[in-house]
Amino acid sequence: MEYILAHDVGTSGCKAVLYRLGASAASETLAASAYETYPTYYPQATYAEQDVNDWWSGLVKSTRQVLDRSGAKPGEVLGIALSTQMLNTIPVDGSGAPLRRCISWLDGRAWEEAEAVMRKLGGPALFSMLVGAVITGKDLLPKYLWLKRHEPQVYARTAAFMDCSSYMLLRLTGMVVYEWSVASVTGLFNLKSKTWDTSLMRLFGLDAAKFPPLVRSIDRVGGLTNEAATELGLLEGTPVFGGAGDAMCTAVGSGAVGENEAHLALGTSGYVGVITSRRVTGRRGIATIQSADPERLLVAAECETVGACLKWAVKELYALEPAGSAYAYLDDQVAQAPAGANGLLFAPWLYGERCPVPDESVRAAFINLSASHTRAQMARAVYEGVAYNFRWILELLKERYGFDCQPLRAVGGGARSLPWLRILADVCGRTLEKTPYDQEAAAVGAALIAAIGLGICPSFEAVKQRVPALQSFAPAAEAEKVYTPLYQAFRRLYPSLREVFHELNR
């Protein structure tokens, strides 16, 4: 047997998969998977940090587990690739040692620096017109500037700014690199030339020498070091490929890899992603970033809290610990509640939002809650609120760029919820296709990237035959009559409550 080992190093934990290669694309499958959790630290309001050693421990433990469960021998693993969380930063010294905990993508501390960046470029309105969205404290450029302003000693000692991808590649291979797709979300990567934008770095007073050399997703970064191989139980020199960011790997793992093909990711956060060769300017929080395919881009519209809203409902509405059985129970409750939740709306902005309302100060809310509403109707309103948010995004993608997003490949942990997929199809008016890989889509995408790097899979276009659609959910005929009036009301929530959110959360 021959395998590819891949990991999805996410916010909540690290998932490992062992992808079994076969005589044909149809015979390739997952041999084993494993998941190790780790914490996020919240030292104060708007701050969110992670420890890189937690990531590494999760990667080592999950690797050992898939090797044990599959019976795979170290010499049968042909290559390794990672899918990683993005929009985080780890300053490291000359030896590669972290100088502080990772500042997470969830972290919004740098909002003052974000406002300063926009003032320097003409103000929020002009900045949004030029770039596609206002920049927030959750973006990377403000975080680099925050470090320079608030932790000058750390900034001065920094030999390289890394993110989750580059740090884990360093631990695996000893090489200091930054992969194209994760570089493209820094705001300092030129999508046309595929190089760091040193002119922007000079404009904002950042040292270009602190940003590592760039590699593609399919490039062989190096081989496993002896130390890494010993910890993982693999062979020294096993090829390690660049991999890509989680959204880019998920696109590959969804099978939506062709021109204008789209997928819907339902994880802790979530987004709609469209593959395209067109260089389009983003609007309303929609971003154009590098895809895993070096020849194409990914137009992505991210919602900050998607599955996180369901996790909140499980824990706070039903006092259950988030687990498979708890979510199954929630699904059952939601399926019994009427469509439209008896007029109850839920704004799904638990931790600020990127799209369709880029604003870190917004928060979640139940609107029109009455004494007659039941707990099950509140839970259904949560499912529907996320769906309304996605419908808004899909309409923006259609109106501004002509992306129809039909059908949508649904992936992520939320794709295991059949009631939620039906609600999403009904609210959004799109057919959703369920793939063989729900929570494993990003890791499988990373495995397929390594397969392309190894020459086993001939191209990104050839990925589609490896990821078939297993089940489709078409919108019900009567759904539009129920959901359209409620969606129109949902669209008015943000402009009505924006000033209140800003007053309360700044």
Side-chain angles (χ1 to χ4, degrees), residues 137-159:
K138 293 185 177 182
D139 287 295
L140 270 177
L141 175 54
K143 287 173 181 172
Y144 299 139
L145 298 175
W146 185 93
L147 279 166
K148 186 176 182 181
R149 177 186 176 191
H150 293 276
E151 298 182 2
Q153 292 180 329
V154 169
Y155 182 87
R157 293 178 58 200
T158 297

Side-chain angles (χ1 to χ4, degrees), residues 66-258:
V66 294
L67 292 174
D68 289 343
R69 292 170 186 175
S70 65
K73 299 178 175 61
E76 294 175 327
V77 178
L78 303 186
I80 300 170
L82 307 180
S83 161
T84 55
Q85 54 175 293
M86 298 184 289
L87 288 163
N88 48 56
T89 188
I90 311 111
V92 301
D93 65 17
S95 68
L99 295 169
R100 67 172 334 278
R101 283 199 303 211
C102 168
I103 301 178
S104 169
W105 63 273
L106 278 167
D107 191 289
R109 74 182 68 185
W111 64 271
E112 288 184 341
E113 287 73 19
E115 292 182 345
V117 167
M118 290 187 289
R119 282 197 303 271
K120 195 163 189 174
L121 295 176
L126 180 59
F127 187 91
S128 182
M129 185 182 301
L130 294 173
V131 178
V134 294
I135 196 169
T136 77
K138 293 185 177 182
D139 287 295
L140 270 177
L141 175 54
K143 287 173 181 172
Y144 299 139
L145 298 175
W146 185 93
L147 279 166
K148 186 176 182 181
R149 177 186 176 191
H150 293 276
E151 298 182 2
Q153 292 180 329
V154 169
Y155 182 87
R157 293 178 58 200
T158 297
F161 282 117
M162 294 192 160
D163 76 333
C164 180
S165 165
S166 49
Y167 181 78
M168 298 303 275
L169 289 172
L170 173 66
R171 290 290 292 263
L172 291 168
T173 69
M175 301 299 292
V176 177
V177 297
Y178 216 112
E179 187 273 328
W180 280 12
S181 72
V182 293
S184 73
V185 305
T186 64
L188 298 170
F189 180 82
N190 188 309
L191 284 172
K192 185 176 182 180
S193 65
K194 313 299 184 188
T195 59
W196 289 117
D197 194 328
T198 54
S199 61
L200 268 180
M201 293 177 184
R202 285 194 300 271
L203 177 65
F204 291 107
L206 295 172
D207 185 353
K210 296 181 187 293
F211 293 85
L214 293 159
V215 297
R216 303 179 303 167
S217 66
I218 56 178
D219 287 339
R220 185 183 184 275
V221 172
L224 280 183
T225 64
N226 178 266
E227 182 181 358
T230 300
E231 287 194 69
L232 294 170
L234 295 171
L235 297 183
E236 182 180 0
T238 302
V240 179
F241 294 87
D246 49 12
M248 298 76 166
C249 284
T250 299
V252 178
S254 75
V257 290

Side-chain angles (χ1 to χ4, degrees), residues 1 60 133 138 228 236 295 306 310 382 391 451 465 486 499:
M1 291 289 183
V60 169
K138 293 185 177 182
E236 182 180 0
E295 304 302 319
V306 173
L310 274 64
V382 171
R391 176 169 171 174
Q465 58 189 296
L486 291 168
E499 295 306 319

